[in-house]
Amino acid sequence: MTVCVKIMPNALKGPHVAVLAYDGLCTFEFGIAYEVFGLSRPEMGEGWYRYSVCAIEKGPLRAAGGLTVCVDHGLEVLEEADLIVVPGWRAIDAEVPDAVIDALRLAHQRGARIMSLCSGVAVLAATGLLGHRRATTHWRYVASISERYPDISFDAGVLYMDEGSILTAAGSAAGIDLCLHVVRGDFGAEAANSVARRLVLPPHREGGQAQFIQAPVPQEREGIRLGPLIEWMRQRLDEEQSISLLATKAGMSQRTFQRRFESTTGLSVGEWLLRQRLRHARELLEKQIGASLDDIAASSGFGTLATMRHHFRKRLGTSPGAYRKMFAAGGG
């Protein structure tokens, strides 16, 4: 299927948004940018965004989902853009053409804002514009791109990052959150709320992407004694597990047990237990819709709902109730 994207003349006078198109286009992220900035919104008046698409290379361009896209204009569009959107990139480690790097640098120098969605952060990183700035991207990309760009301070726990002229979004759907954030800054909360209603989305999503990151499995090079003990601890998360009790069961002194446990799991006993309890609580919230939050707090070893709420807020950036609503309703 071939989709032809044209820049249509209109009477709008607002900020000019230019979205990059390329071979291997990330269709979902591209659609997000169009939905927020390019869709006709007569209720917003003539000051609403002007929208353009610019191809960074000759077409037709292949896009995810079996689409072929043809675009009328190229990088010259960036010379007048107020906001440039990079809707993902063909691969987090794919080379970025020099012409794109130069065009984005020039646009930034004259004051344009540049925004990346998900893997589009790779393009911004290649320009050098993210150097010594904070940024985010999908949590599964953070380690690999951080190795190549150690001067960028990546935060895998947030949905988006606004550094003024440079903005970055985490996973694909977080691009919607960032786009609404931009609308809110440009036109106010009422306009952002109106766009969110059209999208059937909340204008603010609670929490960050930390709640979606799969907890890494500790490398448990467990010996004869610690292996069964660690499994015993997993099966009794709702019980008090003191260092003295665990050391006795392991047949070690408390100091030796703590040293061996941390060497085996990479975590202190307290931190390991907290992560396991959070993981267990998340599983219960996702699967046991009828269970009360108090019962889940007790079953997970937090003792009280207040304690569980505290750790959810601190570690996951959300509340147990909000987490349950998201997954129990099939959202997210």
Side-chain angles (χ1 to χ4, degrees):
M1 180 178 179
T2 300
V3 179
C4 289
V5 182
K6 298 179 181 290
I7 300 176
M8 303 301 293
N10 54 52
L12 296 177
K13 301 176 182 178
H16 183 184
V17 179
V19 183
L20 300 189
Y22 51 87
D23 193 52
L25 181 64
C26 294
T27 310
F28 182 70
E29 290 87 339
F30 181 84
I32 288 172
Y34 171 74
E35 182 74 25
V36 175
F37 301 117
L39 196 65
S40 176
R41 298 183 188 277
E43 72 277 11
M44 296 299 185
E46 64 179 14
W48 192 245
Y49 297 103
R50 292 169 290 151
Y51 177 85
S52 300
V53 179
C54 74
I56 71 168
E57 52 206 344
K58 293 183 178 180
L61 308 173
R62 293 168 298 174
L67 302 177
T68 302
V69 177
C70 55
V71 183
D72 282 351
H73 295 270
L75 289 172
E76 72 280 357
V77 172
L78 302 188
E79 297 174 6
E80 299 180 355
D82 299 301
L83 172 64
I84 299 167
V85 183
V86 185
W89 188 233
R90 39 197 167 215
I92 196 68
D93 56 354
E95 185 178 352
V96 181
D98 290 339
V100 176
I101 292 175
D102 292 341
L104 291 176
R105 286 174 176 169
L106 286 172
H108 181 261
Q109 288 175 10
R110 64 171 178 77
R113 292 174 293 173
I114 305 177
M115 179 169 74
S116 68
L117 309 182
C118 197
S119 57
V121 75
V123 176
L124 271 61
T127 66
L129 298 175
L130 280 176
H132 307 292
R133 292 179 184 263
R134 297 179 303 157
T136 191
T137 186
H138 194 289
W139 56 265
R140 67 191 182 102
Y141 295 142
V142 169
S144 63
I145 197 167
S146 293
E147 291 179 2
R148 290 184 290 128
Y149 299 100
D151 61 335
I152 303 173
S153 178
F154 280 100
D155 187 343
V158 298
L159 293 175
Y160 58 83
M161 190 76 71
D162 182 349
E163 287 283 283
S165 60
I166 302 291
L167 306 95
T168 53
S172 299
I176 303 175
D177 297 282
L178 179 54
C179 290
L180 290 174
H181 169 74
V182 169
V183 173
R184 190 176 301 111
D186 289 346
F187 294 96
E190 186 175 344
N193 292 348
S194 175
V195 175
R197 282 193 296 271
R198 285 274 295 271
L199 290 167
V200 197
L201 289 171
H204 294 277
R205 272 205 296 164
E206 188 173 8
Q209 65 170 338
Q211 58 194 295
F212 304 106
I213 300 175
Q214 291 181 338
V217 179
Q219 295 181 352
E220 293 166 1
R221 302 180 297 275
E222 42 206 47
I224 295 175
R225 284 181 291 185
L226 279 188
L229 176 61
I230 288 174
E231 185 58 30
W232 182 91
M233 293 168 69
R234 281 200 184 100
Q235 298 299 321
R236 294 166 176 80
L237 293 174
D238 59 331
E239 299 178 9
E240 178 68 27
Q241 299 189 27
S242 66
I243 296 294
S244 59
L245 171 65
L246 297 173
T248 298
K249 291 188 70 66
M252 304 176 188
S253 69
Q254 293 186 34
R255 180 174 297 180
T256 298
F257 168 71
Q258 289 176 285
R259 186 176 65 251
R260 294 273 183 88
F261 189 93
E262 188 163 345
S263 175
T264 297
T265 66
L267 300 169
S268 68
V269 177
E271 178 65 19
W272 185 90
L273 280 169
L274 175 57
R275 293 191 185 190
Q276 292 295 314
R277 284 167 172 156
L278 282 169
R279 175 193 58 79
H280 186 58
R282 288 159 65 183
E283 290 178 354
L284 293 178
L285 288 168
E286 293 173 24
K287 298 174 182 177
Q288 296 188 11
I289 299 174
S292 72
L293 295 181
D294 289 294
D295 287 343
I296 288 176
S299 298
S300 303
F302 289 110
T304 67
L305 177 54
T307 301
M308 184 168 73
R309 281 200 183 109
H310 167 77
H311 289 297
F312 262 69
R313 288 287 188 189
K314 185 175 181 180
R315 294 301 182 94
L316 305 179
T318 189
S319 67
Y323 188 90
R324 162 175 271 175
K325 284 181 182 178
M326 190 183 328
F327 285 90

